[in-house]
Structures are given as structure tokens and as C-alpha cells.
């Protein structure tokens, strides 16, 4: 452990109702740093921006984290020594600390009206200046300020930024970064309704909750000097800051809803597995040594190191996510996949009662899946023989009549195979190949094409032997017989 201090990381989302995949990555990196150092992972709900609050958001957030397998050690739903873990339940705490800053002259009340601020901003924009507060109220004396407040005038509380010099901050990925103090706005710490801003509550909480490392998106880099100045104003030790690289879509733009799914909920609904999402997110900005790219959560908990984090933007490549998902789907047992995908099959009104058989269908389909929601379409031909054109039975090297003739011969062979032999694909292969070798000059396509089409009704499908294994003897013969009625 570093400096003998407990390693504590937090995930601090606003309760918007949905979990952005980028936020999940932030959470994952925080979790992995904590776990790889034997530390704690904490959930804190940052709900001070009440407009955005969504009922049930906390519950659904916790459900997603349970589903994905990241467990919090402390949070609103757990016991912990540093609660409450919901910011709107901590208002007294923020009050106490803002009063300290006011008393020490490190923050000030600003009574400027919204109209005045708006006018100022418009002027600044016209003059192509960065919009920022002109610090009028910074010069009010303590007495004036108290008097106005007592008279009931509305105010916000602003942080007093240094007027000159540099603010030097340190990010674990980027190293030292310098900001000109004169570029910093006297930001609002407490809004006119008495509720703190993110910038204030976040620092107070990180300190009081003994957070050792802050992982957050690099969109917060511009706030970084202001945060550090707050720590300094209180004379507090700063946690280590790790600003994670931006997530971009493949075209190089910001990841947004317009280009595709951005919420973890969307990916769950489409049948992405938690293992795939974790593996994919872990490699969005983290570069492990060597070329290993398959990582389980347990491995990540051991292997993850801050040194492997880069500052260049990470590209969100859906094909890569599909690659991981196919990988993890293939590595599930048929029985596990039955449980995971029954909802998708039922949604398409496929009858899943005969579990043994459905697992066989899944076995045939799982090699081809990118996501579980593709399963019904991939294997529905096994549930019901689709309608197909008689012409499809024709193998390219012979006539339709010859193709059907060959199928008739195979039908007799299949009728003579004992039921028991249908338990192994290899038995069926052996019997049918040896028949073709002896009676059909070894021209496999002349026989196997019409057989496969009669069983699947499709141009592309698994081999006829696999299909017969999955369907069983009766259903296989039923399908073959239908061909002759066409
Ligand atoms: N509430 C902030 C957000 O949702 C948290 C940022 C941070 O981790 O400091 O983006």
C-alpha cells in the first residue's frame, strides 16, 4: 500500500437513469486500481444537480453493477464509515465547510443577478473573450456582504482564485500540468438554492471519504486546477488524480447516441455478456504488456497497473466488442447459454420447453453469434423448417431431378440408421460418407447439398450431419419427406 494509506477509489455518478459506457469504463478502472492494490471501491451518488435526478436511478445502477460483477465495498446500499453516500444527504457537511472558507476570506458571496451575469456574458462573447465572472462582489467588505445576506438578498458563493501566478497540478498519466491563474474563473461553489456545485461537493467528499485516487474522464482536466486550489484552501492533502483518456468513436468524434448505442443498458438488452463488456472496457486506454487481449475480471484485478494507462484517446470499436462477445459466447456451455438466451428465444415465440433439444440447437448456433439477440434468427430454422424454393435443392453440378433422386437414396440410408447412432455427429458422417463413396463415386456435393437444404431450407447452414444430430431421426426424416411433396 502506498504511504501506508488505505487505497480507496470511488465511482461518483450523477443519477441520470442510464449508465454511459464511458462511465462504466471509469468505474472499472477505479475498481481495478482499488482491487489490484488491496483497496476499497466506493459508490457515491452525486445528485446535487437535481434537475437530472431520475427516480429509481440508484436502484438500476446497482443492478447493472451486480450484473457486470463489480461489487462496491461502501455506498448508499451498503454500510460504511464515511456515509451518507448520497450528496443531497450531506448538505449540513458542505455548509460547515463553506462557512470556513467564507470566514477565512477564501470564498465570497456574490449577489449579482442572473440578468447582470447574462449581460456580462453576452458582452464578453461579443468581444471574443472567455465568459467569466468579473469579480464585482469579490470586493464587498465582510460587513456589506453579511448585511445583504441578512436582508435576504439572494447570493451564490464563489471560490476566490489567485489573481496571478501559476497553478501546478499533477496527473498520474500526464505528469505535471501548469495553468495560468489568471485564466481561472471564480467558480460557484454554492448555488443560490444553497446546494453545492459538483466542484465543491466532490472535493469535500473525496477528502472526507479518504479517497486516495480519483479516476475520472479527462473532460474534467479543465476543472483540475480549481479542485487543487480548493484542497489547498483547506490545507488538505490531495488524492492522486488519474484523468482517463477520452473515448472516441471510430470516425474520431465524441461517442454519442447518434452513432450508436452508448448506454450499458442497450448492450445488455442486445445480449452482450458481462465478461465481454469488462474485457472490452478494460482495454479502452489500458495497454497491458505483451499481446494478451483476453482478460477475465479476476485476472484484471491482479494485473491492472496504472503504468499501463495512456493519455491518447481510446477508440470505441464495436467490432472489437463483438469479437470479445463471440469469444465469450463460444466459451459458455450449451446449458449456460440456454439460461442466458431463453428470454431472446421466447421473445421470438420459439418453444424452449424441450431443453435438451434446444441446447443442441444452441450448440449449432453458438459458433456464429456476435450477440445473444442474434440467436433466434440464427437457429429458428431448427425450430421450424422455413419455406424455400424447390430450385434451392439443385446442386450446381447436376440437375434438380438428379439432386432429388440422390436425396431419395440418402433417405433410405438414413431410415436404416439406428436411433442410437444419432447421438454422435461422427456416426452419421461415417455412414453417409461411406455410402457416397461406394454408390456415388465420392461426389459429396451431389448428395450432401440436397440433403442439407431439405433439412434446413437454407442456402447456408451447419452441416447436414450436425442438423440431423440436433433434430433427431424422426424430425430429420419428416423434413426430407416434405421435399418430395414440393
Ligand atoms: N459526478 C461526476 C460525473 O458524473 C463525477 C466526476 C468525478 O468522478 O469526479 O461525471
Amino acid at each position: 500500500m502506498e504511504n501506508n494509506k488505505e487505497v480507496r477509489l470511488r465511482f461518483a455518478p450523477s443519477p441520470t437513469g442510464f449508465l454511459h459506457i464511458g462511465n462504466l469504463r471509469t468505474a472499472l478502472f477505479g475498481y481495478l486500481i482499488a482491487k489490484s492494490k488491496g483497496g476499497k471501491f466506493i459508490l457515491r451518488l452525486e445528485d446535487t444537480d437535481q434537475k437530472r435526478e431520475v427516480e429509481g436511478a440508484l436502484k438500476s445502477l446497482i443492478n447493472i453493477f451486480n450484473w457486470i460483477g463489480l461489487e462496491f465495498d461502501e455506498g448508499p446500499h451498503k454500510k460504511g464509515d464515511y456515509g451518507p453516500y448520497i450528496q443531497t444527504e450531506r448538505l449540513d457537511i458542505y455548509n460547515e465547510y463553506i462557512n470556513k472558507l467564507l470566514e477565512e476570506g477564501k470564498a465570497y458571496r456574490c449577489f449579482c443577478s442572473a440578468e447582470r451575469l447574462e449581460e456580462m456574458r453576452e458582452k464578453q462573447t461579443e468581444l471574443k473573450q472567455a465568459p467569466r465572472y468579473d469579480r464585482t462582489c469579490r470586493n464587498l467588505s465582510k460587513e456589506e456582504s453579511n448585511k445583504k445576506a441578512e436582508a435576504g438578498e439572494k447570493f451564490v458563493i464563489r471560490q476566490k482564485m489567485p489573481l496571478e501566478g501559476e497553478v501546478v497540478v499533477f496527473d498520474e498519466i500526464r505528469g505535471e500540468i501548469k495553468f495560468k491563474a489568471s485564466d481561472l474563473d471564480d467558480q460557484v461553489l454554492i448555488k443560490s438554492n444553497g446546494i453545492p456545485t459538483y466542484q465543491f461537493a466532490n472535493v469535500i467528499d473525496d477528502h472526507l471519504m479518504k479517497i486516495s485516487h480519483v479516476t475520472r474522464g479527462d473532460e474534467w482536466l479543465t476543472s483540475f486546477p480549481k479542485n487543487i486550489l480548493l484542497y489547498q484552501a483547506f490545507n488538505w492533502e490531495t488524492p492522486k488524480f488519474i484523468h482517463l483518456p477520452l473515448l472516441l468513436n471510430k470516425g474520431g468524434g465524441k461517442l454519442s447516441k447518434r452513432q450508436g448505442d452508448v448506454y450499458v443498458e442497450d448492450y445488455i438488452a442486445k445480449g452482450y455478456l458481462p465478461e465481454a463488456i469488462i474485457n472490452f472496457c478494460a482495454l479502452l486506454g489500458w495497454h497491458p504488456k505483451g499481446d494478451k487481449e483476453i482478460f477475465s475480471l479476476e485476472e484484471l484485478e491482479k494485473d491492472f497497473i496504472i503504468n499501463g494507462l495512456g493519455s491518447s484517446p481510446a477508440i470505441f470499436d464495436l467490432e472489437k466488442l463483438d469479437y470479445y462477445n463471440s469469444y465469450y459466447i463460444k466459451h459458455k456451455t450449451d446449458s449456460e447459454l440456454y439460461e442466458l438466451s431463453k428470454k431472446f428465444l421466447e421473445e421470438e415465440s420459439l418453444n424452449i420447453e424441450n431443453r435438451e433439444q434446444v441446447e443442441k440447437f444452441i450448440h449449432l448456433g453458438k459458433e456464429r453469434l456476435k450477440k445473444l439477440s442474434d440467436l433466434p434468427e440464427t437457429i429458428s430454422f431448427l425450430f421450424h423448417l422455413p419455406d424455400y424454393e424447390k430450385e434451392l435443392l439443385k446442386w450446381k453440378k447436376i440437375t434438380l431431378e438428379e439432386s432429388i433422386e440422390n436425396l431419395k437414396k440418402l433417405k433410405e440410408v438414413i431410415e436404416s440408421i439406428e436411433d442410437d447412432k444419432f447421438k454422435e455427429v461422427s456416426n452419421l458422417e461415417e455412414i453417409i460418407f461411406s455410402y457416397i463413396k461406394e454408390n456415388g463415386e465420392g461426389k459429396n456435393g451431389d448428395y450432401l447439398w440436397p440433403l442439407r437444404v431439405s433439412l434446413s431450407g437454407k442456402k447456408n447452414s451447419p452441416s447436414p450431419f450436425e442438423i440431423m444430430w440436433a433434430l433427431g431421426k424422426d424430425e430429420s426424416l419428416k423434413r426430407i419427406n416434405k421435399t418430395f411433396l414440393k
Side-chain angles (χ1 to χ4, degrees), residues 15-16 32 55 73 155 159 187 189 212 278 282 327 336 383 462:
T16 54
L32 293 177
E55 197 136 323
D73 299 299
F155 60 86
Q159 186 179 355
Q187 67 175 344
L189 300 177
S212 61
I278 292 274
Y327 174 88
E336 285 168 333
F383 288 86

Side-chain angles (χ1 to χ4, degrees), residues 24 104 164 184 314 349 399 465:
L24 175 63
E104 293 172 14
E164 54 193 27
L184 303 176
S349 312
T399 64
F465 315 109

Side-chain angles (χ1 to χ4, degrees), residues 179-211:
F179 292 84
K180 265 198 349 227
S182 56
D183 285 342
L184 303 176
D185 195 6
D186 280 0
Q187 67 175 344
V188 174
L189 300 177
I190 303 285
K191 295 180 270 189
S192 59
N193 57 3
I195 306 272
T197 56
Y198 155 77
Q199 305 290 359
F200 188 62
N202 186 271
V203 166
I204 302 294
D205 290 346
D206 281 348
H207 172 74
L208 295 179
M209 294 183 181
K210 296 206 164 64
I211 299 304

